[in-house]
Amino acid sequence: MADAAGRPEASPGSALIELRAVTKVYGRGSAAMHALRGIDLDIAAGEMVAVMGPSGSGKSTAMNILGCLDTPTSGTYRFRGVDVGTLSRDQRALLRRHALGFVFQGFNLLARTTALENVELPLIYQRVRRVERHRRAMTALAAVGLTGWAKHTPAELSGGQQQRVAIARALVTDPAVILADEPTGNLDTARSREIMDLLCAMNRERGITVVMITHEQDMAAYAGRVVHFLDGLVEPAATAVEDA
Amino acid sequence: MLSNSLLLAIREIRRNVLRSFLTILGIVIGVAAVIVMVTLGQGATAAVRTQIESLGTNLLIVRPGQHMGPGMSSDAPKFSLADVAALRHDLPALAAVAPAASSAMTAVAGNENWSTSVTGTDNAYLAARSWTLAAGRQFTPSELRAGRASCIIGATVRRELFGAQDPIGQRLRLKKLACEIVGLLEAKGQSSMGMDQDDLVLMPIRTLQRRIAGDQDVDVIYLSVKPGRSMDRTIADVERLLRERRHIGSMDEDDFRVRDMREIASMLAGTTTVLTSLLGAVASVSLLVGGIGIMNIMLVSVTERTREIGIRLAIGAREAEVLMQFLVEAVVLSSFGGLLGILLALGTALLLAGALKVPFIVDGGIIALAFLFSAAVGIVFGWFPARRAARLDPIEALRHE
């Protein structure tokens, strides 16, 4: 807290996520690939941020770093003031378990496993007891409008329904942040709008910070702020406007 | 953490029933093979023991020379008829004392001839071995005393020389000696060692000594102990008497050997026990192969489930938890395979024991051992795939198709 208090921008409710001069380099020497060339990005608690940019602009790399799945080559990533770069693999796993939720483009549900069991999965890792686990998973399924589909496996669900199961799985642990990587990329327009409405509702009603990558302008329009990536850098114009 | 891993593992096994079954098939067969082999082996051991004990546990066999190892005996003077008489006279605990001297010979009757074993003895031989006559009579005292050329034949000799004819009163020729057949032994079939017990000719021992062997030797003395008398004490008495008669100093080793059927029984049982261990060892190789089968499927399964592992890691599973899940999965699979194998083995052994006519003896120890071993197989062969799963990079794993 003392560390956070020393910074002018670290007032309560802001700078949940704080990237400073973050670079990511894959490979070495002449084969080195600079995915991120030094980005600064602050995301406050309760924000809904859309990340846009062409393929290879580094937005997926940035999401992996934000999701604590990867660590920066240089620079710092502070999550709630904690330098993620100094955490061990297991400590980052615990951070993901308790504070982060993921929604992927390809849904990434466990096959041949019911919607209910999929949603229960993060709670199992949190050691939530059976009755409580079941109750919370059913509540999460209800929140995404899938009460009647609890016993269905992903193969028996439409794409839109699968993505809603994935959202239920992300929010069942009541995370601080949901990271969504092109959550509507595999869905038609109507389904996409339903998913976006759902994410907006989570953001608005529960105060969950949402960071999502999208290619589509009208999906980005749901967000309170749009961050543009280009060639491993955050486009200054967009961030400058938002930071002001 | 263990109950969590168990929950995850059981969900995973249920998700892939067929694959899980095929994975454990090797263990099922391995465990079943070990238990069936050992169970049948122990049944056979018990069967051999009962069979030998039915030959008469009160029978003692005394031979000159010490047993030096398989098929080897030290050289020692033979017994004499005087030894036999002394045993009869001095040891009231003995029901029957029979001398025996044997020689392999060709018996000829008419146009038929048959190679057989000729034993010189007396009527006590029949009593000591509880043999009975199917036809004819025993030797008369005068035949025994005078060494007359009369003989009692076994069922095999009768069949080979006389076919279905009545042999009593007929003659057979042994070298130059023509013998009158006075008795026919009851057929006894094969011994437990596979020897034909009916392929023999008995004659008075004096006849054999004088007219065939040309010596005064007694090769073996058969003794039967009266019911209720202590075998061990009788053996000691026999040994003491024979040491005295053979002038063996108190510091010297016996130059003869008294064996009882219990000893032979345990020797034979020992043979089947060795055989059982061998069969068990061969069968346990299949258990090892079953373990390799589990490792193989688990490795394939880790590759196949890379994406799933990525999801688990992204959701917040720690390395140790993924490791535990796969390890527990392997152990649950292999011990379930062990259980199935035990059931299969008990059923198979029960059927086979009935078919092979050996007693069905369940050894709880070997069953527990097989079960623990199958669980251990899961740990050993599940470790490598589980570690591989736990060390996956979540980003790579999520990208995996």
Side-chain angles (χ1 to χ4, degrees), chain A residues 26 64 67 69-70 89-91 93-94 96-98 100 102 104 106-113 116-118 120-127 133 169, chain B residues 1 4 7-8 11-12 14-16 19 304 307-322 325 389-395 398-399:
Chain A
Y26 294 109
N64 286 337
L69 294 168
D70 210 348
R89 194 179 141 124
D90 275 354
Q91 284 171 321
L94 289 176
R96 292 197 294 276
R97 176 184 299 182
H98 292 285
L100 302 178
F102 290 87
F104 304 95
F107 319 137
N108 275 342
L109 300 175
L110 296 191
R112 283 160 298 179
T113 304
L116 180 65
E117 286 175 336
N118 264 294
E120 279 185 332
L121 196 60
L123 298 179
I124 291 179
Y125 286 112
Q126 283 193 358
R127 320 265 161 81
R133 192 170 73 218
R169 182 180 66 190
Chain B
M1 179 147 157
N4 249 349
L7 173 76
L8 292 169
R11 281 192 177 180
E12 190 52 43
R14 251 198 355 227
R15 237 170 66 174
N16 285 294
R19 189 185 67 193
E304 189 187 281
R307 201 183 173 84
E308 173 205 320
I309 295 161
I311 297 169
R312 291 181 188 277
L313 290 169
I315 278 172
R318 279 181 298 177
E319 214 173 295
E321 286 166 321
V322 174
Q325 183 196 333
R391 295 208 171 161
L392 283 174
D393 173 28
I395 299 169
L398 280 170
R399 227 177 267 151

Side-chain angles (χ1 to χ4, degrees), chain B residues 31-44:
Chain B
V31 166
V34 170
I35 297 180
V36 166
M37 287 305 156
V38 172
T39 302
L40 289 183
Q42 285 176 341

Side-chain angles (χ1 to χ4, degrees), chain B residues 307-373:
Chain B
R307 201 183 173 84
E308 173 205 320
I309 295 161
I311 297 169
R312 291 181 188 277
L313 290 169
I315 278 172
R318 279 181 298 177
E319 214 173 295
E321 286 166 321
V322 174
L323 181 99
M324 255 329 230
Q325 183 196 333
F326 277 81
L327 205 55
V328 167
E329 207 175 304
V331 173
V332 167
L333 276 175
S334 65
S335 34
F336 187 66
L339 275 183
L340 280 184
I342 288 168
L343 292 181
L344 180 68
L346 291 182
T348 311
L350 192 61
L351 285 179
L352 279 179
L356 298 174
K357 298 197 167 50
V358 297
F360 176 64
I361 297 168
V362 179
D363 182 344
I366 196 72
I367 288 178
L369 194 70
F371 179 74
L372 289 179
F373 193 75

Side-chain angles (χ1 to χ4, degrees), chain A:
Chain A
M1 288 306 281
D3 186 6
R7 291 164 185 275
E9 69 272 23
S11 55
S14 72
L16 172 72
I17 287 170
E18 197 183 287
L19 296 181
R20 287 288 174 273
V22 166
T23 68
K24 183 70 190 180
V25 183
Y26 294 109
R28 281 159 185 259
S30 58
M33 207 280 281
H34 295 263
L36 294 177
R37 297 166 184 275
I39 58 167
D40 297 312
L41 181 62
D42 286 1
I43 296 171
E47 262 196 286
M48 179 149 177
V49 178
V51 175
M52 297 191 78
S55 311
S57 61
K59 57 187 191 308
S60 289
T61 305
M63 280 296 259
N64 286 337
I65 290 174
L66 288 183
C68 304
L69 294 168
D70 210 348
T71 48
T73 307
S74 71
T76 57
Y77 165 32
R78 289 177 186 279
F79 182 84
R80 286 173 169 164
V82 176
D83 187 350
V84 175
T86 63
L87 300 181
S88 71
R89 194 179 141 124
D90 275 354
Q91 284 171 321
R92 282 185 281 126
L94 289 176
L95 192 58
R96 292 197 294 276
R97 176 184 299 182
H98 292 285
L100 302 178
F102 290 87
V103 178
F104 304 95
Q105 179 179 5
F107 319 137
N108 275 342
L109 300 175
L110 296 191
R112 283 160 298 179
T113 304
T114 65
L116 180 65
E117 286 175 336
N118 264 294
V119 177
E120 279 185 332
L121 196 60
L123 298 179
I124 291 179
Y125 286 112
Q126 283 193 358
R127 320 265 161 81
V128 176
R129 295 224 165 261
R130 200 170 64 87
V131 177
E132 171 72 358
R133 192 170 73 218
H134 186 264
R135 190 189 62 75
R136 281 173 64 179
M138 287 308 287
T139 309
L141 280 173
V144 298
L146 286 177
T147 303
W149 300 86
K151 296 289 175 196
H152 292 251
T153 61
E156 299 162 349
L157 298 171
S158 71
Q161 287 171 324
Q162 287 187 52
Q163 195 59 299
R164 282 195 270 163
V165 174
I167 292 173
R169 182 180 66 190
L171 63 85
V172 74
T173 60
D174 220 358
V177 182
I178 287 182
L179 297 163
D181 192 348
E182 298 196 45
T184 60
N186 286 4
L187 302 174
D188 63 36
T189 316
R191 254 19 87 198
S192 296
R193 292 194 183 289
E194 286 175 18
I195 295 300
M196 289 314 299
D197 287 337
L198 203 50
L199 286 173
C200 283
M202 297 309 149
N203 173 248
R204 218 172 31 244
E205 292 160 17
R206 303 187 182 212
I208 297 174
T209 307
V210 177
V211 182
M212 65 165 181
I213 293 178
T214 182
H215 277 302
E216 294 154 278
Q217 200 64 54
D218 41 340
M219 295 306 139
Y222 282 85
R225 173 157 68 119
V226 181
V227 177
H228 289 274
F229 273 69
L230 191 64
D231 294 333
L233 290 168
V234 175
E235 291 228 300
T239 40
V241 168
E242 296 298 326
D243 278 358

Side-chain angles (χ1 to χ4, degrees), chain B residues 152-218:
Chain B
I152 297 174
I153 61 172
T156 302
V157 176
R158 180 254 183 119
R159 188 183 68 237
E160 296 297 333
L161 294 182
F162 303 102
Q165 285 178 44
D166 180 8
I168 306 297
Q170 307 243 33
R171 281 174 185 277
L172 60 76
R173 199 155 46 76
L174 297 164
K175 287 191 180 159
K176 287 175 187 159
L177 180 69
C179 285
E180 185 194 352
I181 296 166
V182 299
L184 174 65
L185 288 166
E186 197 80 66
K188 292 168 294 293
Q190 280 197 349
S191 75
S192 53
M193 284 175 273
M195 278 169 24
D196 183 354
Q197 299 182 92
D198 298 319
D199 187 7
L200 82 173
V201 173
L202 301 180
M203 64 170 56
I205 187 160
R206 285 184 202 280
T207 318
L208 186 98
Q209 285 173 341
R210 289 180 196 160
R211 302 173 74 167
I212 293 175
D215 57 28
Q216 298 290 310
D217 294 346
V218 172

